[in-house]
Structures are given as structure tokens and as C-alpha cells.
Amino acid sequence: MDWAAASEAPPRHEIHGSDIGVIGASRTGRAYIRMVRAMGARVRVTDPYLSDADARELGVESVPLETLLTGSPIVAVHAPVTEETHRMLGAEQLALMPDGAGLVNTARAWLVDQDALLAELTTGRLDAALDVFDAEPLPIGHPFRSLPNVLLTPHQAAGSVECRQRLGASAVNEVLRLLAARPPVHAVTADALVRLR
């Protein structure tokens, strides 16, 4: 696409002063919340494990999924993969989003009904930024690739040399801690396992 065509993109909006909905207050979700709040966003969160005290500490409003979807121009998905979250955003839920809203899914394709999302995106009513897909890598001929209202990235957030080194060092450090009879820094308890799959 040349610069002239790129400049004809739809109007853009700032994060500052925006209402952003976050599905899932996981570790990644909380990092996202801190980032967009630092840029001036008002944040609503849907997460059955988020206590009122945690919501206050994060500076967010905890709301049901339907309320989040109807009142958020941007919805960011950060929920874990569990039986309860499988296709938690289907046609019915996507239809609740206001016209012109955007869905950001950098968590897992498992959470969103890809066919329902494609149907909404094809109408042009919603926008999306997608980093995860039912089939990865996303096939060359997939319809997502031809839609002007979809931003695609290749699910390689940890693709840098430095990030891979940090991940490796973190894993080695956990093993060394266990060998020294010290508790792990990133322990996965039985309670947390249900939410981390």
C-alpha cells in the first residue's frame, strides 16, 4: 500500500480518555491494564477471579461481560484457556459491541469464535487486531488477510533474542531454586492451574 492510500485510513482515536474493556485480569491482563491506564484510559474488567479489593487496587471497574462489551469501544482479550472460556466471544457477544468498536485478541484463538468474528468484520461494523488464530500460521488465503479493518501480527511476541534469553534464564533459575530447596518464583498452584491452561 502506498503512502497516499495509507493516509486514507478511517479516523483514529487516542487511548487517553477512552473506555477500554479487558477480559481477564491475568498477569498479562494486569500488565495491559497498567499500560493503558498510564496512557489515560478508563478501564472496565470482566474476570470471575478478580476481587473487589484487587479491582480497587488496579483502578478498574469490575463489570459483567455483557456490560463490558456494550460499553467499550476497545475490548482486549486476556482470559486463560479453560472449558468455561472456550468461544466465550461468539456471534451473540460480538453483536453487543458498539458500531466501530475494536477487538484485540493477543491471548488465544480458543476464546473467540473465529467464524463469528469473520462475519462481523466482513460487514465492516467492527475492527480487530489479531495475534492468534485457529490455524497458525494464518493460511495465506485466509479472508482475514484481505480485510482493511483487521490488523494481523504473527503470534511471535517472544521472538526477540533478548526475550528468548530472559525466558530461558527464568526457566533455569526456577530449576536452580528447586534444586536448592527454595520455592519457585513463578509457582503454579493447584488453584491457579485451573485458570492457566
Side-chain angles (χ1 to χ4, degrees):
M1 175 182 303
D2 63 27
W3 287 111
S7 70
E8 294 173 7
R12 296 162 183 91
H13 301 281
E14 293 183 352
I15 290 175
H16 180 78
S18 292
D19 293 311
I20 294 183
V22 179
I23 300 173
S26 62
R27 186 175 7 208
T28 305
R30 289 171 189 237
Y32 178 83
I33 289 166
R34 285 190 291 275
M35 180 180 67
V36 295
R37 285 199 66 237
M39 291 187 235
R42 292 179 299 269
V43 180
R44 290 179 170 180
V45 177
T46 292
D47 187 320
Y49 300 100
L50 182 67
S51 69
D52 291 341
D54 284 344
R56 281 192 301 276
E57 183 180 321
L58 287 168
V60 301
E61 180 184 2
S62 182
V63 297
L65 179 60
E66 294 75 16
T67 303
L68 182 136
L69 293 172
T70 58
S72 303
I74 298 293
V75 174
V77 183
H78 292 288
V81 172
T82 67
E83 291 302 319
E84 295 79 24
T85 62
H86 187 243
R87 303 292 187 247
M88 69 185 299
L89 295 180
E92 182 179 331
Q93 291 77 25
L94 294 169
L96 295 174
M97 295 177 68
D99 291 352
L103 179 72
V104 179
N105 187 5
T106 58
R108 292 289 181 262
W110 169 275
L111 306 168
V112 180
D113 181 328
Q114 189 168 287
D115 293 334
L117 180 59
L118 179 60
E120 279 286 358
L121 293 171
T122 301
T123 70
R125 194 180 78 77
L126 299 178
D127 298 330
L130 306 173
D131 186 53
V132 290
F133 313 97
D134 287 344
E136 293 183 7
L138 186 66
I140 296 295
H142 195 283
F144 280 155
R145 291 181 179 266
S146 64
L147 295 173
N149 53 334
V150 179
L151 173 67
L152 303 172
T153 54
H155 197 188
Q156 291 186 349
S160 70
V161 170
E162 293 80 7
C163 188
R164 288 182 178 162
Q165 288 172 340
R166 277 194 310 274
L167 288 172
S170 175
V172 169
N173 287 336
E174 291 290 61
V175 170
L176 293 174
R177 290 179 69 85
L178 290 172
L179 291 173
R182 295 171 54 210
V185 174
H186 304 288
V188 178
T189 64
D191 289 340
L193 186 59
V194 175
R195 299 181 288 167
L196 294 174
R197 281 188 258 159

